[in-house]
Amino acid sequence: MEYDERNVYLVGLMGAGKTTIGKALARRLAYGFVDSDHEIEARTGVSLPTIFEIEGEEGFRRREAQVIADLARLGGQVVATGGGVVLRPDNRENLKDSGFVIYLDVPLQTLCERTRHDKGRPLLQVGNPLQKFRELHAQRDPLYRSIANLVISGSRITAQSVVNQLIKEKKVPWKR
């Protein structure tokens, strides 16, 4: 794919800002925007917590893999992925092969603060969400890094800083 046809994928833990930054990044790059979790909800007609309740995490992951495979065939999209997208090798391969992957690495305490009142995140409905974030980070951080073309760290990541990093670090001729 030509650079202007490749997708840009945002990966990272829940609350990293993938959707917020993704929307702004898509506008800046003149790309379409897709939130993979919202796409799953649109296709099934039910919420993620309902999918988790009925099908479990494995059922959700199967649906997620299909959405990622479909999105990988498109071009010119900024895709905010679900936090666990990297758990399946086929997803990692699809992301890496069809686009430019940006890992938003946000401090765990910041993630915990951002998500503390959000009941729509099934994996965080536990007694100690910060501990859950620690576990998820330990499991997923190496996987995010293994496919990332660019890692952006910090608690104040903005769409503009992501665009600037894309242009500066990779000298990629992204649409303007």
Side-chain angles (χ1 to χ4, degrees), residues 36 38 74 82-83 117 174:
S36 65
H38 294 164
L74 299 176
H117 299 299
W174 298 103

Side-chain angles (χ1 to χ4, degrees), residues 45-114:
V46 298
S47 68
L48 296 187
T50 301
I51 295 170
F52 269 76
E53 182 181 326
I54 295 171
E55 300 180 4
E57 185 173 358
E58 183 53 36
F60 170 77
R61 296 291 172 214
R62 278 193 305 274
R63 290 179 182 279
E64 180 179 58
Q66 183 59 57
V67 166
I68 294 300
D70 292 347
L71 293 172
R73 288 190 280 278
L74 299 176
Q77 303 295 310
V78 173
V79 180
T81 64
V85 71
V86 294
L87 297 174
R88 291 179 64 124
D90 53 333
N91 287 342
R92 293 193 304 270
E93 184 176 324
N94 276 326
L95 296 177
K96 191 77 172 148
D97 289 349
S98 68
F100 190 88
V101 181
I102 302 169
Y103 171 24
L104 303 179
D105 183 22
V106 175
L108 301 183
Q109 188 63 44
T110 301
L111 296 175
C112 202
E113 286 296 314
R114 288 180 183 174

